[in-house]
């Protein structure tokens, strides 16, 4: 009976968490892992029917994996184990691994330290465990701009799997678009038809379009993606950064500067890498605007 009360207390404590993953919720979740039967409680809420409580379960998982990242242990396996225990769908897997892969990379604990191409190719992406490893590996390659490595991974037969989830397909599209392969546009359309409401998938597509060159209607396609259902609640810092780049390419410089200022205003104080990206983008906008406004002739556009 006491054991059941311990589980109930742990579940109640998890239910009190904010479902948002931020510094405060992570700190609170880390403390809850010290409760008796915490792991059972997390699995209990992840397998329950309440969507909000399930979100709080993933906050617990991310706090747990964040500790593995800090320790230097293999966080990719820990994440995949919990994705399996929670029977995560592809969208939950994309969210959890995407956030953790960025954190690990920033901390010098990249997924690529623990995962190899051959190992990831050998697991089944149709299961939550295997899909979690795929997402951790491929998302990290995306953050590293390793389009060639992603394309090579899929070229060895992985692209032909009929059970590939939309986020994995979006990562393949990112690589093709980032290397300016027009066939990536077909995959883009496929992903949007299946997952236009998923922010992680759309961000991967935006990243590819931003990185590529000379693709048909490239900046217009970026702006179109920014009107996707995934951004119905508004654009965050990363999306506004991409919007600024698209507007710069269209020579809509004042709008680009406004979008970029919006991105900077959205940034968390700790997001110094993204802030540096915004500063570089602002320099590009100002430089291109000055050249454009000087017009043709010496020192300006070609006559």
């Amino acid at each position: 009976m006491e054991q059941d009360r311990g589980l109930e207390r742990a579940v109640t404590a998890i239910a009190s968490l904010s479902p948002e993953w931020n510094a405060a919720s992570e700190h609170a979740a880390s403390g809850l892992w010290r409760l008796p039967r915490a792991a059972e409680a997390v699995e209990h809420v992840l397998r329950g029917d309440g969507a909000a409580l399930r979100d709080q379960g993933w906050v617990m998982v991310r706090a747990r994996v964040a500790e593995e990242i800090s320790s230097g242990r293999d966080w990719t396996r820990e994440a995949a184990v919990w994705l399996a225990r929670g029977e995560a769908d592809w969208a939950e897997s994309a969210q959890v691994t995407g956030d953790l892969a960025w954190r690990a990379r920033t901390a010098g604990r990249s997924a690529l330290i623990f995962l190899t191409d051959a190992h990831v190719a050998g697991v089944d992406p149709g299961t939550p465990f295997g899909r979690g490893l795929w997402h951790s590996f491929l998302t990290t390659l995306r953050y590293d701009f390793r389009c060639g490595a992603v394309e090579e991974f899929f070229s060895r037969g992985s692209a032909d799997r009929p059970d590939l989830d939309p986020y994995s397909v979006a990562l393949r599209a990112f690589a093709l678009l980032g290397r300016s392969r027009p066939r990536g546009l077909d995959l883009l359309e496929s992903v949007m038809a299946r997952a236009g409401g998923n922010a992680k998938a759309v961000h991967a597509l935006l990243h590819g379009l931003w990185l590529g060159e000379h693709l048909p209607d490239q900046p217009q396609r970026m702006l179109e993606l920014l009107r996707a259902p995934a951004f119905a609640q508004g654009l965050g810092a990363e999306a506004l950064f991409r919007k600024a780049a698209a507007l710069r390419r269209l020579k809509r410089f004042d709008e680009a500067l406004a979008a970029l200022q919006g991105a900077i205003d959205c940034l968390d104080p700790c997001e110094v890498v993204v802030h540096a990206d915004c500063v570089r983008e602002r320099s590009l906008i100002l430089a291109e605007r000055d050249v454009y406004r000087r017009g043709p002739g010496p020192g300006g556009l070609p006559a």
Side-chain angles (χ1 to χ4, degrees):
M1 184 64 69
E2 177 59 33
Q3 281 195 343
D4 290 337
R5 283 198 293 270
L7 178 61
E8 183 179 347
R9 281 195 292 269
V11 169
T12 300
I14 292 171
S16 70
L17 283 172
S18 166
E20 301 297 325
W21 191 25
N22 51 41
S25 64
E26 181 182 325
H27 179 75
S30 296
L32 295 185
W33 275 104
R34 299 182 179 89
L35 291 173
R37 307 189 72 186
E40 291 175 75
V42 172
E43 189 165 356
H44 177 83
V45 300
L46 286 174
R47 295 194 175 210
D49 296 328
L53 197 56
R54 189 169 173 85
D55 289 341
Q56 289 151 330
W58 292 124
V59 171
M60 290 289 292
V61 168
R62 289 185 290 221
R64 175 72 189 91
V65 179
E67 290 184 358
E68 294 294 283
I69 292 171
S70 297
S71 74
R73 292 188 290 269
D74 183 358
W75 65 269
T76 64
R77 178 175 175 78
E78 184 73 9
V81 165
W82 276 104
L83 290 167
R85 291 178 72 172
E87 299 179 344
D89 62 25
W90 71 265
E92 290 170 327
S93 178
Q95 183 69 43
V96 171
T97 59
D99 294 339
L100 289 168
W102 179 262
R103 182 189 184 116
R105 180 176 176 270
T106 303
R109 301 287 189 269
S110 167
L112 305 184
I113 296 173
F114 308 104
L115 298 173
T116 65
D117 187 298
H119 175 65
V120 175
V123 298
D124 183 1
T127 67
F129 181 90
R131 185 167 54 232
L133 292 183
W134 274 51
H135 287 174
S136 295
F137 178 70
L138 292 169
T139 299
T140 301
L141 289 176
R142 176 197 149 205
Y143 291 156
D144 285 354
F145 289 40
R146 299 191 189 191
C147 298
V150 177
E151 191 174 356
E152 184 178 349
F153 177 84
F154 281 105
S155 71
R156 290 200 288 268
S158 299
D160 300 326
R161 301 186 66 120
D163 57 350
L164 278 186
D165 65 277
Y167 183 60
S168 294
V169 178
L171 290 168
R172 183 186 177 215
F174 152 77
L176 293 171
L177 294 168
R179 301 191 84 189
S180 307
R181 315 280 201 214
R183 66 180 181 274
L185 297 173
D186 293 332
L187 284 182
L188 181 152
E189 298 298 335
S190 173
V191 171
M192 290 304 295
R194 297 174 63 192
N198 181 267
K200 290 295 185 185
V202 181
H203 273 300
L205 300 174
L206 275 169
H207 192 184
L209 281 175
W210 172 82
L211 191 58
E213 298 180 88
H214 309 304
L215 291 164
D217 302 318
Q218 192 168 343
Q220 293 90 339
R221 287 178 184 272
M222 292 176 68
L223 294 177
E224 184 178 345
L225 288 183
L226 289 165
R227 293 190 288 271
F231 303 119
Q233 302 305 313
L235 302 180
E238 184 180 348
L240 286 166
F241 171 75
R242 306 292 185 210
K243 182 177 182 179
L247 291 168
R248 169 175 56 81
R249 295 180 187 188
L250 292 171
K251 303 189 186 330
R252 292 159 58 179
F253 300 113
D254 291 340
E255 293 174 75
L257 288 171
L260 194 63
Q261 186 58 55
I264 292 172
D265 291 342
C266 286
L267 287 174
D268 182 278
C270 296
E271 293 182 285
V272 293
V273 174
V274 182
H275 187 274
D277 289 340
C278 288
V279 171
R280 283 191 291 271
E281 178 60 34
R282 186 175 186 275
S283 297
L284 284 173
I285 294 169
L286 293 174
E288 292 187 23
R289 184 190 67 178
D290 290 347
V291 170
Y292 183 75
R293 288 183 177 176
R294 282 200 297 268
L301 295 174

